[in-house]
Amino acid sequence: MSLLQEAFQYLNDPFNWTRPNGILDLAAQHLRISVTAVLAAMVIGIPVGALLGHTGRGGGFTVALSNVSRAIPTLALLTVFAVTPIGFGPTATTIALALFALPPILTNTYVGFRGVDPDVVEASRAMGMSGRQVVFRAELPLAVPLLMTGVRTAAVQVVATATLAALVAGGGLGRIITLGFRQQDYGAVLAGAILVALLAVGTEVLLSVVSRLVTPGPSRFALGRVRTRRSATGAVTAAP
Amino acid sequence: MLSAASPTVLAADAAPNPWFDPSYVTENWDTILAYLGEHVRLTIAAVVLGALLALPLALVARRSRWLAAGVLGVSTLVYTIPSLAMFAFVAPVTGLSATTVLVGLVLYSLVILVRNFLAGLQSVPGDVQEAARGMGYGPVRLFWQVELPLALPSFMAGIRVATVSTVALVTVGVIVGHGGLGQLITGGFNANFYRAEIVTGAVGCVLLALVADLLLAGAERALTPWARRVRS
């Protein structure tokens, strides 16, 4: 297993971490792009999903959106934005990734608000809550678990997908992998793969902890992802 | 950014560079067909192999709650690994070949399928199993004649999801030079941002995914005639 040794040698060299465009630089860039993309998708997806779920409209639209989005290759979207006048670089990558994060957040928010027991809504109305209060004090807390599942799915997907930006001259940790392939340095390739995989798994773990913390009521295990739930048109989340 | 030029001096803006160019498609038809063929071959092989591996896994996993939890945990972990990293893990073993892409794709489709297969098998009502056993069905006949038909909708949903996401994932295979239509996307990118080639690759992928999904939906309808009668 000399290859694994090479990978650890690469990871063990402090220069590989601290030099310009080293691991630390690339990881920071990776995280900056990912966080911006997920936040942008949340800013758009959560209010729209909440509104659609609250009014009970547009269910077909959100399901169709999330299904179609799975068919679009990430690579295609990343490339298409890079050849528009935006030009390639962090901006194009961020926009493409935000578009990819939108469907899971939108759909899960919608399903979360839609799934609130109508009796609860009725009871809150009967207690004299206004429409705004019903949304924020009855529906939102009940929708949080699913909403957070959406955010977690989207975030993991974005962190994973940001790797692909390196294929179209974007930044991020994927660069170590693409550069390694180009230089036939498979030790570096493996090292990059390990870093990227750890980052993705770390995001997943971190966000499941966060989602358990923000879920009101007695703590329970995180709900299964919507991906495993079957609907007539298939599951709800998109590919990595 | 190392080599990235500032957005204002893109060569793409200097010469006419249309998004859609029918003449590109007609002139390069053979190349496109070759990539399309590779794309389709990789997708079918990945989904079929994934299904063949997922079925026994699901059958074993449903026997105990611990095994099921283990299988689901591992599949979540595998699904979390970015595709580029997955190919990078596999590449040192199998080299720059289509096999590398296939191994990665099989892993992803396996992970999606095993979840759906398990959900489908678990959704078979216990009463029905018991009734079949009471009528003298052995385990093999029980599976083929009772459980499989009942779990089929869930199986097919999994196969459709796996197929569509595999079609999209094949494009990442460009890292080892076997990305099917993805080769057109990066090819156009490297050929001075040739938009017609990029769009051809991207639209081809989406169309392929939609066609595959429609075919599978048709197959599902044909395989479950009883569902149609209930629904209508």
Side-chain angles (χ1 to χ4, degrees), chain A residues 3 21 73 75 79 83 88 168-169 175 181 189-190 196 200 227-228 230 238, chain B residues 1-2 4 79-80 82 88-89 92 115 154 171 175 185 189 193 195 205:
Chain A
L3 206 64
N21 268 313
L75 183 62
T79 315
V83 292
F88 57 90
V168 289
R175 255 188 124 80
F181 266 109
V189 167
L190 201 57
V196 167
R227 181 167 66 224
T228 60
R230 200 178 64 79
Chain B
M1 303 307 310
L2 267 181
Y79 202 77
T80 310
F89 280 133
R115 284 170 166 270
S154 182
T171 55
I175 188 73
I185 299 176
F189 187 80
F193 316 113
R195 286 175 181 161
C205 284

PDB file of all heavy atoms in Angstrom, chain A residues 3 21 73 75 79 83 88 168-169 175 181 189-190 196 200 227-228 230 238, chain B residues 1-2 4 79-80 82 88-89 92 115 154 171 175 185 189 193 195 205:
ATOM      1  N   LEU A   3       0.723   3.503  -2.133  1.00  0.00           N
ATOM      2  CA  LEU A   3      -0.078   4.641  -2.574  1.00  0.00           C
ATOM      3  C   LEU A   3      -0.663   5.385  -1.370  1.00  0.00           C
ATOM      4  O   LEU A   3      -0.655   6.614  -1.305  1.00  0.00           O
ATOM      5  CB  LEU A   3      -1.205   4.130  -3.472  1.00  0.00           C
ATOM      6  CG  LEU A   3      -1.727   5.138  -4.475  1.00  0.00           C
ATOM      7  CD1 LEU A   3      -0.653   5.514  -5.454  1.00  0.00           C
ATOM      8  CD2 LEU A   3      -2.921   4.569  -5.185  1.00  0.00           C
ATOM      9  N   ASN A  21      -2.378  28.592  -2.389  1.00  0.00           N
ATOM     10  CA  ASN A  21      -3.116  27.551  -3.086  1.00  0.00           C
ATOM     11  C   ASN A  21      -2.856  26.159  -2.512  1.00  0.00           C
ATOM     12  O   ASN A  21      -2.975  25.162  -3.219  1.00  0.00           O
ATOM     13  CB  ASN A  21      -2.820  27.547  -4.589  1.00  0.00           C
ATOM     14  CG  ASN A  21      -3.811  28.416  -5.335  1.00  0.00           C
ATOM     15  OD1 ASN A  21      -5.007  28.316  -5.093  1.00  0.00           O
ATOM     16  ND2 ASN A  21      -3.312  29.285  -6.183  1.00  0.00           N
ATOM     17  N   PRO A  73     -26.964  17.389 -15.125  1.00  0.00           N
ATOM     18  CA  PRO A  73     -25.639  17.119 -14.565  1.00  0.00           C
ATOM     19  C   PRO A  73     -25.044  18.391 -13.957  1.00  0.00           C
ATOM     20  O   PRO A  73     -25.119  19.465 -14.551  1.00  0.00           O
ATOM     21  CB  PRO A  73     -24.813  16.678 -15.768  1.00  0.00           C
ATOM     22  CG  PRO A  73     -25.776  16.439 -16.864  1.00  0.00           C
ATOM     23  CD  PRO A  73     -26.980  17.249 -16.578  1.00  0.00           C
ATOM     24  N   LEU A  75     -22.049  19.096 -13.577  1.00  0.00           N
ATOM     25  CA  LEU A  75     -20.935  19.551 -14.412  1.00  0.00           C
ATOM     26  C   LEU A  75     -21.435  20.500 -15.495  1.00  0.00           C
ATOM     27  O   LEU A  75     -20.816  21.528 -15.779  1.00  0.00           O
ATOM     28  CB  LEU A  75     -20.257  18.333 -15.039  1.00  0.00           C
ATOM     29  CG  LEU A  75     -19.026  18.597 -15.878  1.00  0.00           C
ATOM     30  CD1 LEU A  75     -17.950  19.219 -15.032  1.00  0.00           C
ATOM     31  CD2 LEU A  75     -18.533  17.307 -16.503  1.00  0.00           C
ATOM     32  N   THR A  79     -20.431  24.407 -15.941  1.00  0.00           N
ATOM     33  CA  THR A  79     -19.776  24.851 -17.166  1.00  0.00           C
ATOM     34  C   THR A  79     -20.564  25.954 -17.838  1.00  0.00           C
ATOM     35  O   THR A  79     -19.989  26.939 -18.311  1.00  0.00           O
ATOM     36  CB  THR A  79     -19.638  23.663 -18.135  1.00  0.00           C
ATOM     37  OG1 THR A  79     -19.190  22.546 -17.412  1.00  0.00           O
ATOM     38  CG2 THR A  79     -18.657  23.980 -19.231  1.00  0.00           C
ATOM     39  N   VAL A  83     -19.272  29.867 -18.966  1.00  0.00           N
ATOM     40  CA  VAL A  83     -19.086  30.427 -20.307  1.00  0.00           C
ATOM     41  C   VAL A  83     -20.043  31.578 -20.600  1.00  0.00           C
ATOM     42  O   VAL A  83     -20.038  32.123 -21.693  1.00  0.00           O
ATOM     43  CB  VAL A  83     -19.218  29.355 -21.412  1.00  0.00           C
ATOM     44  CG1 VAL A  83     -18.073  28.390 -21.330  1.00  0.00           C
ATOM     45  CG2 VAL A  83     -20.534  28.639 -21.335  1.00  0.00           C
ATOM     46  N   PHE A  88     -15.577  32.392 -15.714  1.00  0.00           N
ATOM     47  CA  PHE A  88     -15.368  31.337 -14.727  1.00  0.00           C
ATOM     48  C   PHE A  88     -14.669  31.897 -13.506  1.00  0.00           C
ATOM     49  O   PHE A  88     -13.989  32.912 -13.560  1.00  0.00           O
ATOM     50  CB  PHE A  88     -14.653  30.118 -15.314  1.00  0.00           C
ATOM     51  CG  PHE A  88     -13.330  30.381 -15.944  1.00  0.00           C
ATOM     52  CD1 PHE A  88     -12.181  30.318 -15.187  1.00  0.00           C
ATOM     53  CD2 PHE A  88     -13.239  30.661 -17.298  1.00  0.00           C
ATOM     54  CE1 PHE A  88     -10.956  30.533 -15.762  1.00  0.00           C
ATOM     55  CE2 PHE A  88     -12.001  30.877 -17.868  1.00  0.00           C
ATOM     56  CZ  PHE A  88     -10.857  30.808 -17.108  1.00  0.00           C
ATOM     57  N   VAL A 168     -13.747  22.604 -14.163  1.00  0.00           N
ATOM     58  CA  VAL A 168     -13.897  23.718 -15.085  1.00  0.00           C
ATOM     59  C   VAL A 168     -13.123  24.924 -14.563  1.00  0.00           C
ATOM     60  O   VAL A 168     -13.589  26.047 -14.603  1.00  0.00           O
ATOM     61  CB  VAL A 168     -15.382  24.082 -15.316  1.00  0.00           C
ATOM     62  CG1 VAL A 168     -16.052  23.007 -16.126  1.00  0.00           C
ATOM     63  CG2 VAL A 168     -16.106  24.246 -14.005  1.00  0.00           C
ATOM     64  N   ALA A 169     -11.936  24.647 -14.038  1.00  0.00           N
ATOM     65  CA  ALA A 169     -10.993  25.691 -13.648  1.00  0.00           C
ATOM     66  C   ALA A 169     -11.472  26.536 -12.478  1.00  0.00           C
ATOM     67  O   ALA A 169     -10.974  27.630 -12.272  1.00  0.00           O
ATOM     68  CB  ALA A 169     -10.641  26.597 -14.827  1.00  0.00           C
ATOM     69  N   ARG A 175      -9.369  20.781  -6.742  1.00  0.00           N
ATOM     70  CA  ARG A 175      -8.141  21.106  -7.475  1.00  0.00           C
ATOM     71  C   ARG A 175      -7.031  20.117  -7.200  1.00  0.00           C
ATOM     72  O   ARG A 175      -6.250  19.787  -8.097  1.00  0.00           O
ATOM     73  CB  ARG A 175      -7.662  22.476  -7.012  1.00  0.00           C
ATOM     74  CG  ARG A 175      -7.907  23.546  -7.989  1.00  0.00           C
ATOM     75  CD  ARG A 175      -7.195  24.777  -7.480  1.00  0.00           C
ATOM     76  NE  ARG A 175      -6.295  25.255  -8.491  1.00  0.00           N
ATOM     77  CZ  ARG A 175      -6.721  25.987  -9.521  1.00  0.00           C
ATOM     78  NH1 ARG A 175      -7.975  26.264  -9.652  1.00  0.00           N
ATOM     79  NH2 ARG A 175      -5.872  26.406 -10.399  1.00  0.00           N
ATOM     80  N   PHE A 181      -4.390  14.168 -11.024  1.00  0.00           N
ATOM     81  CA  PHE A 181      -4.621  13.362 -12.222  1.00  0.00           C
ATOM     82  C   PHE A 181      -3.748  13.856 -13.367  1.00  0.00           C
ATOM     83  O   PHE A 181      -3.163  13.081 -14.101  1.00  0.00           O
ATOM     84  CB  PHE A 181      -6.095  13.440 -12.638  1.00  0.00           C
ATOM     85  CG  PHE A 181      -6.915  12.314 -12.092  1.00  0.00           C
ATOM     86  CD1 PHE A 181      -7.836  12.539 -11.084  1.00  0.00           C
ATOM     87  CD2 PHE A 181      -6.770  11.032 -12.590  1.00  0.00           C
ATOM     88  CE1 PHE A 181      -8.593  11.498 -10.589  1.00  0.00           C
ATOM     89  CE2 PHE A 181      -7.530   9.994 -12.093  1.00  0.00           C
ATOM     90  CZ  PHE A 181      -8.439  10.230 -11.087  1.00  0.00           C
ATOM     91  N   VAL A 189      -3.815  12.554  -5.578  1.00  0.00           N
ATOM     92  CA  VAL A 189      -5.220  12.310  -5.909  1.00  0.00           C
ATOM     93  C   VAL A 189      -5.926  11.694  -4.709  1.00  0.00           C
ATOM     94  O   VAL A 189      -6.998  12.150  -4.289  1.00  0.00           O
ATOM     95  CB  VAL A 189      -5.330  11.373  -7.132  1.00  0.00           C
ATOM     96  CG1 VAL A 189      -6.754  10.866  -7.282  1.00  0.00           C
ATOM     97  CG2 VAL A 189      -4.901  12.089  -8.391  1.00  0.00           C
ATOM     98  N   LEU A 190      -5.302  10.683  -4.152  1.00  0.00           N
ATOM     99  CA  LEU A 190      -5.896   9.987  -3.016  1.00  0.00           C
ATOM    100  C   LEU A 190      -6.016  10.932  -1.812  1.00  0.00           C
ATOM    101  O   LEU A 190      -7.032  10.948  -1.117  1.00  0.00           O
ATOM    102  CB  LEU A 190      -5.046   8.768  -2.668  1.00  0.00           C
ATOM    103  CG  LEU A 190      -5.726   7.673  -1.868  1.00  0.00           C
ATOM    104  CD1 LEU A 190      -6.954   7.178  -2.602  1.00  0.00           C
ATOM    105  CD2 LEU A 190      -4.773   6.515  -1.633  1.00  0.00           C
ATOM    106  N   VAL A 196     -11.656  15.662   0.670  1.00  0.00           N
ATOM    107  CA  VAL A 196     -12.993  16.026   0.207  1.00  0.00           C
ATOM    108  C   VAL A 196     -14.051  15.151   0.879  1.00  0.00           C
ATOM    109  O   VAL A 196     -15.091  15.630   1.330  1.00  0.00           O
ATOM    110  CB  VAL A 196     -13.055  15.890  -1.326  1.00  0.00           C
ATOM    111  CG1 VAL A 196     -14.481  15.941  -1.801  1.00  0.00           C
ATOM    112  CG2 VAL A 196     -12.247  16.986  -1.979  1.00  0.00           C
ATOM    113  N   ALA A 200     -17.090  16.362   3.393  1.00  0.00           N
ATOM    114  CA  ALA A 200     -18.508  16.084   3.150  1.00  0.00           C
ATOM    115  C   ALA A 200     -19.125  15.351   4.339  1.00  0.00           C
ATOM    116  O   ALA A 200     -20.212  15.710   4.815  1.00  0.00           O
ATOM    117  CB  ALA A 200     -18.671  15.267   1.865  1.00  0.00           C
ATOM    118  N   ARG A 227     -35.242  11.368   0.969  1.00  0.00           N
ATOM    119  CA  ARG A 227     -34.815  10.583  -0.181  1.00  0.00           C
ATOM    120  C   ARG A 227     -35.388   9.169  -0.140  1.00  0.00           C
ATOM    121  O   ARG A 227     -35.698   8.591  -1.150  1.00  0.00           O
ATOM    122  CB  ARG A 227     -33.281  10.512  -0.167  1.00  0.00           C
ATOM    123  CG  ARG A 227     -32.724   9.752  -1.319  1.00  0.00           C
ATOM    124  CD  ARG A 227     -31.234   9.985  -1.428  1.00  0.00           C
ATOM    125  NE  ARG A 227     -30.487   9.443  -0.329  1.00  0.00           N
ATOM    126  CZ  ARG A 227     -29.503  10.093   0.274  1.00  0.00           C
ATOM    127  NH1 ARG A 227     -29.195  11.292  -0.101  1.00  0.00           N
ATOM    128  NH2 ARG A 227     -28.837   9.535   1.233  1.00  0.00           N
ATOM    129  N   THR A 228     -35.494   8.621   1.095  1.00  0.00           N
ATOM    130  CA  THR A 228     -35.935   7.238   1.189  1.00  0.00           C
ATOM    131  C   THR A 228     -37.445   7.116   1.105  1.00  0.00           C
ATOM    132  O   THR A 228     -37.958   6.035   0.969  1.00  0.00           O
ATOM    133  CB  THR A 228     -35.488   6.626   2.520  1.00  0.00           C
ATOM    134  OG1 THR A 228     -36.071   7.409   3.552  1.00  0.00           O
ATOM    135  CG2 THR A 228     -34.000   6.628   2.647  1.00  0.00           C
ATOM    136  N   ARG A 230     -40.883   7.163  -0.585  1.00  0.00           N
ATOM    137  CA  ARG A 230     -41.292   6.949  -1.958  1.00  0.00           C
ATOM    138  C   ARG A 230     -42.513   7.809  -2.267  1.00  0.00           C
ATOM    139  O   ARG A 230     -43.424   7.934  -1.470  1.00  0.00           O
ATOM    140  CB  ARG A 230     -41.643   5.492  -2.162  1.00  0.00           C
ATOM    141  CG  ARG A 230     -41.632   5.054  -3.594  1.00  0.00           C
ATOM    142  CD  ARG A 230     -41.952   3.594  -3.651  1.00  0.00           C
ATOM    143  NE  ARG A 230     -43.293   3.358  -3.180  1.00  0.00           N
ATOM    144  CZ  ARG A 230     -44.367   3.561  -3.917  1.00  0.00           C
ATOM    145  NH1 ARG A 230     -44.240   4.001  -5.138  1.00  0.00           N
ATOM    146  NH2 ARG A 230     -45.564   3.329  -3.437  1.00  0.00           N
ATOM    147  N   ALA A 238     -31.661  15.263  -4.581  1.00  0.00           N
ATOM    148  CA  ALA A 238     -30.923  15.145  -5.840  1.00  0.00           C
ATOM    149  C   ALA A 238     -29.635  14.367  -5.642  1.00  0.00           C
ATOM    150  O   ALA A 238     -29.283  13.979  -4.546  1.00  0.00           O
ATOM    151  CB  ALA A 238     -30.625  16.536  -6.382  1.00  0.00           C
TER     152      ALA A 238
ATOM    153  N   MET B   1      -7.578  31.814  -7.487  1.00  0.00           N
ATOM    154  CA  MET B   1      -7.581  31.444  -8.894  1.00  0.00           C
ATOM    155  C   MET B   1      -6.178  31.554  -9.461  1.00  0.00           C
ATOM    156  O   MET B   1      -5.555  32.586  -9.420  1.00  0.00           O
ATOM    157  CB  MET B   1      -8.495  32.362  -9.689  1.00  0.00           C
ATOM    158  CG  MET B   1      -9.928  32.405  -9.201  1.00  0.00           C
ATOM    159  SD  MET B   1     -10.653  30.775  -9.074  1.00  0.00           S
ATOM    160  CE  MET B   1     -10.215  30.161 -10.689  1.00  0.00           C
ATOM    161  N   LEU B   2      -5.711  30.479 -10.045  1.00  0.00           N
ATOM    162  CA  LEU B   2      -4.374  30.499 -10.622  1.00  0.00           C
ATOM    163  C   LEU B   2      -4.373  31.125 -12.010  1.00  0.00           C
ATOM    164  O   LEU B   2      -3.861  32.213 -12.242  1.00  0.00           O
ATOM    165  CB  LEU B   2      -3.844  29.069 -10.725  1.00  0.00           C
ATOM    166  CG  LEU B   2      -3.010  28.577  -9.567  1.00  0.00           C
ATOM    167  CD1 LEU B   2      -2.550  27.168  -9.844  1.00  0.00           C
ATOM    168  CD2 LEU B   2      -1.822  29.490  -9.360  1.00  0.00           C
ATOM    169  N   ALA B   4      -7.094  31.736 -13.941  1.00  0.00           N
ATOM    170  CA  ALA B   4      -8.322  32.341 -14.416  1.00  0.00           C
ATOM    171  C   ALA B   4      -8.101  33.779 -14.862  1.00  0.00           C
ATOM    172  O   ALA B   4      -7.610  34.609 -14.102  1.00  0.00           O
ATOM    173  CB  ALA B   4      -9.362  32.316 -13.315  1.00  0.00           C
ATOM    174  N   TYR B  79     -22.987   7.508   0.057  1.00  0.00           N
ATOM    175  CA  TYR B  79     -23.685   8.514  -0.738  1.00  0.00           C
ATOM    176  C   TYR B  79     -23.112   9.904  -0.481  1.00  0.00           C
ATOM    177  O   TYR B  79     -23.174  10.777  -1.336  1.00  0.00           O
ATOM    178  CB  TYR B  79     -25.173   8.493  -0.378  1.00  0.00           C
ATOM    179  CG  TYR B  79     -26.056   9.069  -1.438  1.00  0.00           C
ATOM    180  CD1 TYR B  79     -26.363   8.345  -2.579  1.00  0.00           C
ATOM    181  CD2 TYR B  79     -26.577  10.348  -1.315  1.00  0.00           C
ATOM    182  CE1 TYR B  79     -27.155   8.861  -3.558  1.00  0.00           C
ATOM    183  CE2 TYR B  79     -27.382  10.874  -2.294  1.00  0.00           C
ATOM    184  CZ  TYR B  79     -27.670  10.123  -3.414  1.00  0.00           C
ATOM    185  OH  TYR B  79     -28.469  10.651  -4.385  1.00  0.00           O
ATOM    186  N   THR B  80     -22.547  10.096   0.703  1.00  0.00           N
ATOM    187  CA  THR B  80     -22.010  11.410   1.055  1.00  0.00           C
ATOM    188  C   THR B  80     -20.698  11.697   0.344  1.00  0.00           C
ATOM    189  O   THR B  80     -20.345  12.841   0.111  1.00  0.00           O
ATOM    190  CB  THR B  80     -21.796  11.473   2.579  1.00  0.00           C
ATOM    191  OG1 THR B  80     -22.988  11.049   3.211  1.00  0.00           O
ATOM    192  CG2 THR B  80     -21.470  12.870   3.028  1.00  0.00           C
ATOM    193  N   PRO B  82     -18.174  12.608  -2.242  1.00  0.00           N
ATOM    194  CA  PRO B  82     -18.328  13.281  -3.529  1.00  0.00           C
ATOM    195  C   PRO B  82     -17.889  12.386  -4.683  1.00  0.00           C
ATOM    196  O   PRO B  82     -16.974  11.581  -4.532  1.00  0.00           O
ATOM    197  CB  PRO B  82     -17.401  14.485  -3.399  1.00  0.00           C
ATOM    198  CG  PRO B  82     -17.238  14.694  -1.949  1.00  0.00           C
ATOM    199  CD  PRO B  82     -17.313  13.349  -1.327  1.00  0.00           C
ATOM    200  N   ALA B  88     -11.607   9.192  -7.731  1.00  0.00           N
ATOM    201  CA  ALA B  88     -10.199   9.305  -7.358  1.00  0.00           C
ATOM    202  C   ALA B  88      -9.771   8.137  -6.479  1.00  0.00           C
ATOM    203  O   ALA B  88      -8.638   7.668  -6.567  1.00  0.00           O
ATOM    204  CB  ALA B  88      -9.953  10.627  -6.638  1.00  0.00           C
ATOM    205  N   PHE B  89     -10.698   7.655  -5.619  1.00  0.00           N
ATOM    206  CA  PHE B  89     -10.366   6.486  -4.792  1.00  0.00           C
ATOM    207  C   PHE B  89     -10.174   5.251  -5.662  1.00  0.00           C
ATOM    208  O   PHE B  89      -9.315   4.410  -5.406  1.00  0.00           O
ATOM    209  CB  PHE B  89     -11.501   6.196  -3.793  1.00  0.00           C
ATOM    210  CG  PHE B  89     -11.484   7.071  -2.579  1.00  0.00           C
ATOM    211  CD1 PHE B  89     -12.628   7.685  -2.119  1.00  0.00           C
ATOM    212  CD2 PHE B  89     -10.303   7.271  -1.881  1.00  0.00           C
ATOM    213  CE1 PHE B  89     -12.610   8.504  -0.999  1.00  0.00           C
ATOM    214  CE2 PHE B  89     -10.284   8.079  -0.757  1.00  0.00           C
ATOM    215  CZ  PHE B  89     -11.434   8.693  -0.325  1.00  0.00           C
ATOM    216  N   PRO B  92      -6.681   4.764  -8.790  1.00  0.00           N
ATOM    217  CA  PRO B  92      -5.358   4.146  -8.625  1.00  0.00           C
ATOM    218  C   PRO B  92      -5.386   2.639  -8.842  1.00  0.00           C
ATOM    219  O   PRO B  92      -4.389   2.052  -9.240  1.00  0.00           O
ATOM    220  CB  PRO B  92      -4.983   4.475  -7.177  1.00  0.00           C
ATOM    221  CG  PRO B  92      -5.756   5.692  -6.865  1.00  0.00           C
ATOM    222  CD  PRO B  92      -7.039   5.560  -7.622  1.00  0.00           C
ATOM    223  N   ARG B 115     -31.597   1.000  -0.421  1.00  0.00           N
ATOM    224  CA  ARG B 115     -32.580   1.678   0.427  1.00  0.00           C
ATOM    225  C   ARG B 115     -33.999   1.427  -0.056  1.00  0.00           C
ATOM    226  O   ARG B 115     -34.890   1.092   0.723  1.00  0.00           O
ATOM    227  CB  ARG B 115     -32.343   3.195   0.401  1.00  0.00           C
ATOM    228  CG  ARG B 115     -31.176   3.618   1.223  1.00  0.00           C
ATOM    229  CD  ARG B 115     -30.860   5.063   0.970  1.00  0.00           C
ATOM    230  NE  ARG B 115     -29.961   5.531   2.001  1.00  0.00           N
ATOM    231  CZ  ARG B 115     -30.375   6.062   3.129  1.00  0.00           C
ATOM    232  NH1 ARG B 115     -31.656   6.256   3.338  1.00  0.00           N
ATOM    233  NH2 ARG B 115     -29.502   6.437   4.038  1.00  0.00           N
ATOM    234  N   SER B 154     -42.031   0.144  -5.179  1.00  0.00           N
ATOM    235  CA  SER B 154     -40.888   0.730  -4.495  1.00  0.00           C
ATOM    236  C   SER B 154     -39.587   0.393  -5.218  1.00  0.00           C
ATOM    237  O   SER B 154     -38.700   1.240  -5.362  1.00  0.00           O
ATOM    238  CB  SER B 154     -40.844   0.212  -3.059  1.00  0.00           C
ATOM    239  OG  SER B 154     -39.783   0.786  -2.371  1.00  0.00           O
ATOM    240  N   THR B 171     -21.170  12.010 -16.275  1.00  0.00           N
ATOM    241  CA  THR B 171     -20.392  13.139 -16.787  1.00  0.00           C
ATOM    242  C   THR B 171     -19.129  13.390 -15.968  1.00  0.00           C
ATOM    243  O   THR B 171     -18.144  13.875 -16.498  1.00  0.00           O
ATOM    244  CB  THR B 171     -21.231  14.425 -16.781  1.00  0.00           C
ATOM    245  OG1 THR B 171     -21.717  14.634 -15.457  1.00  0.00           O
ATOM    246  CG2 THR B 171     -22.395  14.316 -17.721  1.00  0.00           C
ATOM    247  N   ILE B 175     -12.996  12.950 -15.624  1.00  0.00           N
ATOM    248  CA  ILE B 175     -11.730  13.028 -14.905  1.00  0.00           C
ATOM    249  C   ILE B 175     -10.792  11.902 -15.350  1.00  0.00           C
ATOM    250  O   ILE B 175      -9.581  12.061 -15.335  1.00  0.00           O
ATOM    251  CB  ILE B 175     -11.965  12.995 -13.360  1.00  0.00           C
ATOM    252  CG1 ILE B 175     -10.688  13.270 -12.592  1.00  0.00           C
ATOM    253  CG2 ILE B 175     -12.565  11.691 -12.921  1.00  0.00           C
ATOM    254  CD1 ILE B 175     -10.240  14.696 -12.645  1.00  0.00           C
ATOM    255  N   ILE B 185     -18.948  18.324 -22.787  1.00  0.00           N
ATOM    256  CA  ILE B 185     -19.023  19.512 -21.930  1.00  0.00           C
ATOM    257  C   ILE B 185     -17.623  20.047 -21.653  1.00  0.00           C
ATOM    258  O   ILE B 185     -17.326  21.213 -21.903  1.00  0.00           O
ATOM    259  CB  ILE B 185     -19.752  19.183 -20.610  1.00  0.00           C
ATOM    260  CG1 ILE B 185     -21.182  18.724 -20.908  1.00  0.00           C
ATOM    261  CG2 ILE B 185     -19.760  20.377 -19.689  1.00  0.00           C
ATOM    262  CD1 ILE B 185     -21.959  18.290 -19.695  1.00  0.00           C
ATOM    263  N   PHE B 189     -15.473  23.220 -23.227  1.00  0.00           N
ATOM    264  CA  PHE B 189     -14.874  24.176 -22.291  1.00  0.00           C
ATOM    265  C   PHE B 189     -13.401  24.385 -22.624  1.00  0.00           C
ATOM    266  O   PHE B 189     -12.908  25.513 -22.645  1.00  0.00           O
ATOM    267  CB  PHE B 189     -15.024  23.651 -20.863  1.00  0.00           C
ATOM    268  CG  PHE B 189     -14.593  24.632 -19.819  1.00  0.00           C
ATOM    269  CD1 PHE B 189     -15.441  25.653 -19.431  1.00  0.00           C
ATOM    270  CD2 PHE B 189     -13.345  24.544 -19.235  1.00  0.00           C
ATOM    271  CE1 PHE B 189     -15.045  26.572 -18.478  1.00  0.00           C
ATOM    272  CE2 PHE B 189     -12.946  25.457 -18.289  1.00  0.00           C
ATOM    273  CZ  PHE B 189     -13.798  26.474 -17.904  1.00  0.00           C
ATOM    274  N   PHE B 193     -14.006  27.577 -24.839  1.00  0.00           N
ATOM    275  CA  PHE B 193     -15.396  27.837 -24.446  1.00  0.00           C
ATOM    276  C   PHE B 193     -16.353  27.768 -25.615  1.00  0.00           C
ATOM    277  O   PHE B 193     -17.145  28.679 -25.847  1.00  0.00           O
ATOM    278  CB  PHE B 193     -15.511  29.210 -23.754  1.00  0.00           C
ATOM    279  CG  PHE B 193     -14.421  29.470 -22.773  1.00  0.00           C
ATOM    280  CD1 PHE B 193     -13.482  30.457 -22.996  1.00  0.00           C
ATOM    281  CD2 PHE B 193     -14.314  28.685 -21.644  1.00  0.00           C
ATOM    282  CE1 PHE B 193     -12.471  30.679 -22.087  1.00  0.00           C
ATOM    283  CE2 PHE B 193     -13.304  28.906 -20.732  1.00  0.00           C
ATOM    284  CZ  PHE B 193     -12.378  29.901 -20.953  1.00  0.00           C
ATOM    285  N   ARG B 195     -19.461  27.098 -27.060  1.00  0.00           N
ATOM    286  CA  ARG B 195     -20.751  26.930 -26.400  1.00  0.00           C
ATOM    287  C   ARG B 195     -21.612  25.838 -27.035  1.00  0.00           C
ATOM    288  O   ARG B 195     -22.304  25.098 -26.329  1.00  0.00           O
ATOM    289  CB  ARG B 195     -21.521  28.249 -26.416  1.00  0.00           C
ATOM    290  CG  ARG B 195     -20.967  29.242 -25.428  1.00  0.00           C
ATOM    291  CD  ARG B 195     -21.677  30.559 -25.574  1.00  0.00           C
ATOM    292  NE  ARG B 195     -21.124  31.529 -24.645  1.00  0.00           N
ATOM    293  CZ  ARG B 195     -21.274  32.833 -24.788  1.00  0.00           C
ATOM    294  NH1 ARG B 195     -21.935  33.314 -25.820  1.00  0.00           N
ATOM    295  NH2 ARG B 195     -20.764  33.664 -23.906  1.00  0.00           N
ATOM    296  N   CYS B 205     -27.506  15.052 -22.112  1.00  0.00           N
ATOM    297  CA  CYS B 205     -27.614  14.362 -20.816  1.00  0.00           C
ATOM    298  C   CYS B 205     -29.034  14.447 -20.276  1.00  0.00           C
ATOM    299  O   CYS B 205     -29.612  13.446 -19.831  1.00  0.00           O
ATOM    300  CB  CYS B 205     -26.679  14.992 -19.789  1.00  0.00           C
ATOM    301  SG  CYS B 205     -24.985  14.531 -20.024  1.00  0.00           S
TER     302      CYS B 205
END
